[in-house]
Amino acid sequence: MTTARTPTRIGVYPGSFDPVTVAHLHVAEAAMERCRLDRVDLTVSVTTLGKDDGRLRPSEDRLAALHELADSRPWLGVRRTTHSLLADIADGYDVVVLGADKWHQLLDPGWYGSIEQRDAALRRLPELALAPRPPWTLPGEDPAADPPVELAVVVLDTDPAHHPVSATAVRDGRHEWRARP
């Protein structure tokens, strides 16, 4: 007799994670629950788009910190990628997890070369799980935030206390916002 296995659903949460914050973990947990994921991979790109890589800690240090964090969370994976474009990073995943600020970057055709290339990249994306991050708008709140192509988009229910949390603020001294193992 064979037993049917439930397929594993995996989400990817790309970012620089310099450092990983309590908000990153909160968003990953919200995506797990809302999208019925078995694992969320925090994924660091070797070459980031829109960030000064010279100002970031080396990717090896950030990955080591993520592995330490994931050691006590079996649902959390850590990956490194050579891809920079989100459509390439998300290839093979069931869900891609983003904050509303990154969603607006993703909609900017300047990253792709043309609107047509942007739309082709967006069509390759799996389901999107978007985390609110005021003042950035979400689909349905503002036409500028609506997807220009058919995409499955869910908005995550996150605690508003996490909305102002940022890695920049942690680097500037808000150490209580740093995620701990």
Side-chain angles (χ1 to χ4, degrees):
M1 180 165 117
T2 60
T3 56
R5 288 184 49 164
T6 304
T8 300
R9 284 182 47 85
I10 303 173
V12 60
Y13 188 176
S16 58
F17 303 110
D18 187 26
V20 66
T21 69
V22 294
H24 288 127
L25 285 181
H26 177 67
V27 167
E29 289 170 346
M32 288 274 299
E33 182 177 311
R34 176 74 198 286
C35 300
R36 300 176 331 277
L37 298 173
D38 299 296
R39 188 178 80 222
V40 173
D41 288 345
L42 301 179
T43 302
V44 174
S45 180
V46 175
T47 305
T48 58
L49 290 178
K51 294 212 179 197
D52 179 0
D53 287 341
R55 296 181 57 95
L56 297 174
R57 289 183 314 142
S59 62
E60 296 80 16
D61 294 349
R62 290 180 280 137
L63 287 163
L66 290 173
H67 279 291
E68 184 178 350
L69 193 69
D71 284 345
S72 62
R73 295 167 178 86
W75 56 271
L76 195 60
V78 176
R79 298 288 181 267
R80 174 187 176 275
T81 182
T82 57
H83 297 297
S84 296
L85 192 60
L86 191 60
D88 296 327
I89 294 169
D91 187 40
Y93 283 94
D94 299 294
V95 175
V96 61
V97 181
L98 299 172
D101 54 332
K102 300 304 178 211
W103 172 239
H104 280 265
Q105 284 181 343
L106 189 62
L107 293 175
D108 181 352
W111 298 110
Y112 306 91
S114 72
I115 289 174
E116 294 78 19
Q117 289 175 319
R118 178 206 57 196
D119 290 354
L122 292 177
R123 282 187 194 91
R124 293 178 29 222
L125 291 173
E127 179 180 17
L128 295 174
L130 299 180
R133 184 141 192 215
W136 299 98
T137 56
L138 292 163
E141 296 176 347
D142 170 16
D146 290 343
V149 298
E150 278 296 315
L151 288 173
V153 178
V154 298
V155 175
L156 300 173
D157 183 21
T158 58
D159 183 342
H162 289 287
H163 295 172
V165 174
S166 73
T168 300
V170 173
R171 289 191 304 273
D172 290 343
R174 294 294 305 260
H175 300 293
E176 72 276 15
W177 285 352
R178 181 185 298 268
R180 305 279 181 214

